Amino acid sequence: MSRDLRYTRNIGIAAHIDAGKTTTTERILYYSGVNHKIGEVHEGASTMDWMVQEAERGITITSAATTVFWNYRGNKYQVNVIDTPGHVDFTVEVNRSLRVLDGLVFLFSAVDGVEPQSETNWRLADNYKVPRIGFVNKMDRSGADFLKVVKQVKDMLGSEAVALQLPIGAEDSFKGVVDLINNRGIVWNEHDKGMTYTEVPIPDDMLQEVAEYREKLLEAVAGYDESLMEKFFDDPNSLTEREILNALRAAVLDNSIVPMVCGSSFKNKGVQTMLDLVMELLPSPMDSKGVEGINPDTDQPVVRQPDVKEPFAALGFKIATDPFVGRLCFIRAYSGKLDAGSYVLNTRSGNKERISRIFQMHANKQNPIPFIEAGDIGAVVGFKDIRTGDTLCDEKHPIVLESMTFPEPVIGLAIEPKTQADVDKLGVALGKLSEEDPTFRVQTDEETGQTVISGMGELHLDIIMDRLKREFKVEVNQGAPQVAYKEAITGTTQHRETYKKQTGGRGKFADIQVIISPSEEGKSGLEFVNEISGGAIPREFIPSVQKGFEAAMANGVLAGYQLQGMKVRLIDGSFHAVDSDALSFEICAKAAFREALPKCKPVLMEPIMKIEILTPEENMGDVIGDMNRRRGQLLGMDTRAGAQVIKATVPLSEMFGYVTQLRTITSGRATSTMEFDHYAEAPRNVQDEVIAKAKGKKANA
């Protein structure tokens, strides 16, 4: 008998850094009986942060999945929970987790409220239309204010936030909540770490407030469901608990209401009620209208219902490497059933993959299961080639599910292995890391022959370097970040070059006259015009002249960087009937380039980046001042959800260490994104510096 999908929940826990995601997940594990001891983040003992780097830094880096069972109203629910990171450098983890989840518990800190990263993750959840519940954590901390956070969610995130509870007491005296649906007070018992609660009368000083907010809740619910509207107007108290919950559920699934509850995970309060509401309000796989995809053979849209009887379709949303099991691929099964040991089709590569084993994940431990069914999240092993975002499906019924888009990396770092033994290991390690993380790129710089790794930010690269050392035992030296300059010419010159070589026997001879000028707007590379008439140079030698100039462009005359573009007109020349050959003309062209270019007013071009900075208003002056110091050009400003957005262009060479500096200026509240825009001429002092450096290198060599 297949299990009833109505009792399955795939939920994620997302929030800003330090809102208490991992602590909340630990409580869920404890209350559901999976863990018998509560692991704490600050002790480095939490189950979900299993990476060494996570325990050390007290932050979540990879999203960890786990499965728990929860009893609610006589039914046993299976809940797949994914704990996601909060740090901006790892937004990709949140992105790919949201893609496969049905619902989301969004945590806010009761003290800090809505923070920049909360906004980023909220927007991601909006993109994927994920229904969510807001949980305001840390109610026991000084400065906690539940209603302020509810208001912020409304104002800053533009969502219809509705309070389902009011806290009894705040800060140190926080002990329970008033349940507005049932109009009762709840206080959690200390002796069993909050497993059970006691009903208490609503405190007298809160009666008025409770009545006000209960009315708001009923109003919001009635506004969504017409049939309740009449009942509400006749007698608000006639609405039963079931009616309220059913209407709430429909509104949450529709993303029109975000229910808000509160608690303190650390003090074991409120997590249980929040879990009950997850079962009650968040969608099961059955609530979806099926998943849409494209049949690759016909290019027609196909829909797969969340049913075991449908053909199998799943999305691989994360690759991880485990030291004991090898490569794991986390999958979300949308339809059908997959048995261990069977074959699936990967529609990206068109290859069949054998899935040897299937696991139910519990952080970094795996429990083997015989099969995975529609609506479930698990991990598979045994495959050869699966990447993040691949669709796995039944061979006879191919389907391609919508993949994910990932942002471009913004910061690069040159690395080299310390010893010869590390060379091979480094290649394997970088291959594995780039498979796991789609925002991490590895390329070899053609000019310097260096291996350059690039990622989403300095912390991201820092953790990658750490993992190379610990996991893969590779010792590397890291260099300073490199900027790829280019060269260009701004003037025109006419030049005659004669190449003569006479050594016994056949000599070498070529003679050319050229006009070298800057290339036309918008064109790059070599523009070669042959204006020879009357056979001054035979036709078969012309391509060699062109080839000589093309080859010479790879190394400019200023600092040896590539030349962006130029125009060469070949106007005259002469040849020798015996001594001239193709190679002579090629060498002659290269010599002409070296001689003529310094007369064409060469300049150095530097890469200019486009940057967007999200900052609170009070830090705006400091951020703009810092931008001016970095030779930035302001393009414009606007406001977004209560924060100021500054757009500017700035040279890449001035941006190293910027992320850290921005955090320092704004006490960590601002975030920035940067991407390449164009090349522009560098100021004279910068040019002199780069040229001196390049000359110094040559002199030392």
Side-chain angles (χ1 to χ4, degrees):
M1 155 116 173
S2 71
R3 62 171 217 261
D4 192 340
L5 277 181
R6 284 183 315 202
Y7 301 128
T8 299
R9 295 286 180 274
N10 295 315
I11 61 163
I13 295 188
H16 187 78
I17 310 164
D18 266 356
K21 295 180 290 297
T22 306
T23 309
T24 306
T25 316
E26 292 299 323
R27 297 303 183 270
I28 295 176
L29 294 178
Y30 175 73
Y31 293 137
S32 55
V34 174
N35 284 3
H36 299 293
K37 169 178 168 288
I38 296 181
E40 298 295 1
V41 176
H42 57 265
E43 293 166 4
S46 68
T47 313
M48 302 302 270
D49 287 353
W50 51 271
M51 282 169 69
V52 187
Q53 293 84 348
E54 297 183 312
E56 279 181 0
R57 292 178 169 80
I59 59 170
T60 307
I61 296 169
T62 65
S63 35
T66 186
T67 304
V68 301
F69 293 93
W70 186 254
N71 290 318
Y72 174 65
R73 301 203 169 178
N75 293 312
K76 191 174 181 187
Y77 287 78
Q78 177 181 334
V79 190
N80 300 317
V81 185
I82 295 187
D83 177 23
T84 64
H87 200 286
V88 62
D89 288 11
F90 309 108
T91 307
V92 55
E93 289 283 342
V94 185
N95 193 344
R96 53 182 172 192
S97 306
L98 288 178
R99 169 75 182 80
V100 296
L101 292 171
D102 298 322
L104 187 63
V105 175
F106 212 100
L107 292 197
F108 297 98
S109 154
V111 184
D112 305 314
V114 175
E115 298 176 89
Q117 198 52 32
S118 324
E119 292 173 31
T120 315
N121 292 348
W122 195 269
R123 278 202 294 276
L124 280 173
D126 282 341
N127 285 351
Y128 291 119
K129 300 192 175 48
V130 181
R132 59 210 91 148
I133 289 179
F135 179 63
V136 178
N137 191 15
K138 302 195 175 183
M139 286 302 298
D140 57 316
R141 294 265 302 273
S142 62
D145 188 342
F146 172 62
L147 291 173
K148 181 185 87 183
V149 181
V150 173
K151 189 169 174 322
Q152 277 185 327
V153 172
K154 264 190 182 162
D155 300 346
M156 291 169 75
L157 303 175
S159 296
E160 186 55 44
V162 177
L164 301 191
Q165 299 172 343
L166 285 178
I168 302 176
E171 304 180 358
D172 290 347
S173 61
F174 173 69
K175 53 180 192 281
V177 297
V178 173
D179 171 3
L180 296 176
I181 298 177
N182 295 313
N183 225 0
R184 59 181 183 174
I186 297 175
V187 172
W188 286 278
N189 300 326
E190 297 283 336
H191 62 86
D192 58 1
K193 295 210 168 84
M195 277 294 226
T196 53
Y197 62 82
T198 313
E199 256 187 60
V200 295
I202 299 170
D204 294 339
D205 58 345
M206 287 181 69
L207 284 170
Q208 198 177 343
E209 193 180 23
V210 166
E212 180 190 340
Y213 278 91
R214 181 165 193 241
E215 190 154 324
K216 281 187 180 170
L217 162 68
L218 296 178
E219 208 170 309
V221 171
Y224 186 77
D225 187 332
E226 301 256 317
S227 59
L228 296 184
M229 189 69 104
E230 292 166 24
K231 276 187 86 172
F232 171 72
F233 280 133
D234 292 343
D235 177 11
N237 293 326
S238 65
L239 294 183
T240 62
E241 179 195 28
R242 189 46 32 221
E243 285 175 330
I244 297 172
L245 286 172
N246 287 350
L248 250 177
R249 181 179 170 92
V252 171
L253 297 193
D254 196 25
N255 271 326
S256 40
I257 287 182
V258 176
M260 301 290 289
V261 294
C262 62
S264 160
S265 300
F266 186 54
K267 292 283 175 43
N268 309 316
K269 294 180 171 63
V271 177
Q272 315 79 328
T273 324
M274 180 263 291
L275 271 172
D276 287 346
L277 285 169
V278 164
M279 310 309 140
E280 186 63 69
L281 303 177
L282 285 183
S284 72
M286 296 299 288
D287 289 309
S288 78
K289 297 181 182 65
V291 59
E292 277 192 25
I294 301 267
N295 182 339
D297 302 338
T298 59
D299 282 340
Q300 293 300 315
V302 221
V303 175
R304 290 267 190 280
Q305 296 303 331
D307 188 352
V308 181
K309 296 184 183 66
E310 289 257 321
F312 181 71
L315 187 75
F317 65 96
K318 180 178 168 79
I319 308 283
T321 309
D322 184 273
F324 305 110
V325 188
R327 287 170 55 226
L328 288 163
C329 172
F330 285 72
I331 63 166
R332 156 78 198 260
Y334 285 102
S335 60
K337 176 179 171 184
L338 174 69
D339 292 303
S342 52
Y343 285 87
V344 289
L345 171 75
N346 179 348
T347 43
R348 174 184 59 81
S349 61
N351 297 334
K352 279 189 347 191
E353 294 278 3
R354 184 172 182 267
I355 305 297
S356 56
R357 288 184 293 164
I358 303 171
F359 296 109
Q360 199 169 55
M361 291 304 292
H362 178 53
N364 63 337
K365 298 178 189 60
Q366 302 92 12
N367 306 323
I369 48 176
F371 56 83
I372 184 168
E373 295 182 331
D376 227 345
I377 290 179
V380 298
V381 293
F383 54 89
K384 286 192 180 74
D385 170 36
I386 300 181
R387 294 190 200 147
T388 301
D390 284 0
T391 305
L392 306 176
C393 58
D394 186 320
E395 299 164 60
K396 295 189 183 68
H397 302 89
I399 181 170
V400 178
L401 302 173
E402 179 196 9
S403 189
M404 301 165 241
T405 48
F406 298 113
E408 288 295 310
V410 293
I411 183 164
L413 195 67
I415 57 170
E416 60 182 25
K418 278 190 182 167
T419 61
Q420 202 51 46
D422 289 322
V423 174
D424 297 340
K425 283 196 305 198
L426 180 66
V428 170
L430 289 175
K432 279 191 175 165
L433 287 168
S434 57
E435 245 177 25
E436 274 182 38
D437 184 349
T439 56
F440 170 63
R441 306 274 168 88
V442 181
Q443 66 252 23
T444 307
D445 190 326
E446 287 160 15
E447 291 164 19
T448 57
Q450 284 172 320
T451 304
V452 179
I453 58 172
S454 39
M456 297 307 295
E458 289 169 65
L459 177 71
H460 187 189
L461 291 183
D462 188 31
I463 282 168
I464 285 206
M465 296 303 287
D466 201 44
R467 287 185 66 187
L468 280 177
K469 201 158 99 199
R470 287 195 191 168
E471 266 174 60
F472 300 99
K473 311 284 186 284
V474 181
E475 291 292 330
V476 291
N477 295 325
Q478 62 186 63
Q482 302 284 328
V483 180
Y485 291 100
K486 287 193 172 173
E487 292 183 21
I489 53 175
T490 55
T492 304
T493 184
Q494 186 168 337
H495 181 76
R496 183 165 197 145
E497 187 73 35
T498 308
Y499 173 66
K500 257 192 220 150
K501 211 167 186 181
Q502 213 58 49
T503 51
R506 200 173 153 196
K508 297 266 192 204
F509 179 82
D511 168 36
I512 57 172
Q513 197 169 342
V514 289
I515 296 174
I516 298 178
S517 60
S519 56
E520 289 171 27
E521 216 40 49
K523 286 190 179 171
S524 62
L526 175 68
E527 202 179 333
F528 185 77
V529 185
N530 173 20
E531 294 180 3
I532 299 275
S533 55
I537 301 175
R539 216 186 273 134
E540 61 267 28
F541 297 147
I542 302 284
S544 304
V545 177
Q546 185 172 350
K547 190 176 161 194
F549 276 112
E550 264 170 7
M553 280 177 71
N555 294 84
V557 290
L558 281 176
Y561 290 105
Q562 192 182 353
L563 197 71
Q564 254 191 323
M566 64 174 186
K567 184 175 181 179
V568 174
R569 291 162 55 202
L570 181 60
I571 52 174
D572 199 9
S574 60
F575 73 107
H576 188 281
V578 178
D579 290 353
S580 288
D581 60 1
L583 187 62
S584 305
F585 275 97
E586 192 176 325
I587 295 170
C588 185
K590 285 180 181 169
F593 177 87
R594 289 269 151 245
E595 289 298 318
L597 227 62
K599 302 172 195 161
C600 296
K601 303 185 191 132
V603 291
L604 204 63
M605 310 293 277
E606 61 178 356
I608 305 288
M609 311 299 279
K610 195 156 98 197
I611 186 164
E612 189 171 289
I613 309 163
L614 216 77
T615 169
E617 199 157 340
E618 54 263 37
N619 303 105
M620 208 159 90
D622 299 339
V623 171
I624 292 174
D626 181 62
M627 214 39 1
N628 293 337
R629 277 197 293 284
R630 295 173 187 272
R631 303 195 278 123
Q633 301 272 323
L634 283 184
L635 298 177
M637 286 180 262
D638 64 17
T639 50
R640 184 185 306 155
Q644 298 290 327
V645 181
I646 302 169
K647 294 183 176 141
T649 53
V650 56
L652 177 63
S653 56
E654 303 283 344
M655 292 309 284
F656 294 124
Y658 181 68
V659 180
T660 322
Q661 181 67 27
L662 183 68
R663 281 185 194 144
T664 312
I665 299 174
T666 62
S667 331
R669 291 173 68 193
T671 55
S672 64
T673 51
M674 188 163 76
E675 55 188 13
F676 170 74
D677 196 53
H678 65 282
Y679 273 93
E681 187 181 328
R684 183 55 56 200
N685 59 336
V686 174
Q687 291 196 36
D688 294 345
E689 222 171 284
V690 174
I691 294 165
K693 227 182 225 169
K695 295 262 175 28
K697 273 185 199 157
K698 282 178 193 155
N700 295 336

